[in-house]
Amino acid sequence: MRWGADAARARAAGHPLVALESSVLAQGLPIPANREADTRMRTAITAVGAVPAITAVVRGTLTVGLDGDDLERFLRREGVAKVSARDLPVAALRGTDGATTVAATLSICALAGLDVFATGGIGGVHREPAFDESADLAELARTSAVVVCAGAKSILDLPATLERIESLGITLVGYQTDEFPGFFTQTTGLRVPARVDTAAEVAAVLRQSRAMRRPGAVLVVQPPPNDSALPAELVEHSVNEALGQARAEGVRGAAVTPFLLAAVERATAGRSLRANLALLEQNATLAAQVALALSAAP
Ligand code: PSU
Ligand code: MN
């Protein structure tokens, strides 16, 4: 494992770190919005007083704190593969440049001892075929960390995803909300089992979970910010269009999520992209606050 200079310094000094994934930069968002996402998330975390650490596989080396020329290569997506948790061993063996999904990032968090991770939306159960379930859920079930997100992407089957989160024993809390947000939308009509209102409370939930030796994550969901969230009807319509295109083109496997996100972006004339950037930034801020709360005395 390699630590970037800033991340290594933070770890040595005991400063709070926030892990970030790299798949959202190399696959999830288009160029140049991916660079904007990187800047906004890192700036947000730094503003709170924590240190951002992007995870990645850099030429086969698991990395915490992707930076410099390596980060540039990922932002320009020159030969960068999407890497989930199960892909890590082969990527390491082959010397691959791999952008880490939520699942892969969680594996690296466990190895590196990172407690807090901010992302946009987790993967979940796809609408079709329903057996296409993101490995993000299984890794959430076996990685003890706080994961801040805006729910699961609206391209997924959200009720089914919520059921799987329950089955897998993943602790789920809404941040200042009683609802499971829909990533692009604030409301879904689906309820979360518990609500928390402060970052300190989130930190306390992780401490409880660890005291009980629960193996899994504390998944914190926060709705996208008011001024950029999309109306549910627009998202529903766009997702249906995107699913039709995916079906027509026979898109499968790891390519499905990036394909659907790009199709929704086209169908919403870029509004989904603005929402995506805003919620990534907001999640980064909350994750940094949680990291600070965790590093303070309980
Ligand atoms: N959320 C986004 N953009 C993304 C993803 C999530 O806004 O690109 C990525 C994350 O890395 C997530 C992955 O872990 O999509 C899920 O992919 P899959 O369904 O193939 O597991
Ligand atoms: Mn899949």
Side-chain angles (χ1 to χ4, degrees), residues 104-124:
T105 299
L106 284 168
S107 294
I108 294 176
C109 284
L111 209 56
L114 297 171
D115 295 324
V116 186
F117 165 26
T119 186
I122 56 164

Side-chain angles (χ1 to χ4, degrees), residues 21 23-24 28 82 101-102 121 123 126 134-136 153 183 254 257 261 276:
E21 58 156 305
S23 180
V24 66
K82 176 176 167 182
T101 64
V102 169
H126 281 264
S134 175
D136 292 356
K153 281 153 288 182
F183 189 74
T257 295
L261 286 172
N276 206 333

Side-chain angles (χ1 to χ4, degrees), residues 18-43 45 52-58 63-83 97-102 105 117-121 153 183 257-258 261 265 273 276-281 284:
V18 175
L20 301 171
E21 58 156 305
S22 47
S23 180
V24 66
L25 302 178
Q27 284 97 27
L29 293 168
I31 295 170
N34 62 343
R35 192 176 293 273
E36 184 180 339
D38 170 56
T39 305
R40 285 172 68 175
M41 291 182 88
R42 288 196 291 134
T43 305
I45 290 166
I54 303 175
T55 68
V57 185
V58 177
T63 300
V64 176
L66 178 71
D67 57 9
D69 291 345
D70 296 326
L71 174 60
E72 276 303 314
R73 214 163 56 247
F74 277 62
L75 289 173
R76 289 197 298 262
R77 47 186 63 159
E78 290 161 359
V80 179
K82 176 176 167 182
V83 167
D97 265 342
T100 46
T101 64
V102 169
T105 299
F117 165 26
T119 186
K153 281 153 288 182
F183 189 74
T257 295
L261 286 172
E265 186 197 318
L273 184 57
N276 206 333
L277 292 171
L279 67 86
L280 281 166
E281 180 177 17

Side-chain angles (χ1 to χ4, degrees), residues 127 153-155 182-185 229-242 264 267-268 272:
R127 299 188 188 194
K153 281 153 288 182
S154 330
I155 55 174
F183 189 74
F184 298 124
T185 62
L230 305 186
E233 316 77 63
L234 171 67
V235 172
E236 219 19 65
H237 177 78
S238 308
V239 167
N240 283 329
E241 223 160 86
V264 169
T268 60
S272 68

Side-chain angles (χ1 to χ4, degrees), residues 15-18 50-51 115-116 199 203 286-296:
H15 292 152
L17 280 154
V18 175
V51 177
D115 295 324
V116 186
L286 176 55
Q289 291 164 345
V290 172
L292 249 66
L294 271 172
S295 68

Side-chain angles (χ1 to χ4, degrees), residues 82 124 126 131-135 252-257:
K82 176 176 167 182
H126 281 264
F131 59 74
D132 182 354
E133 175 179 319
S134 175
R252 287 213 172 72
V256 171
T257 295

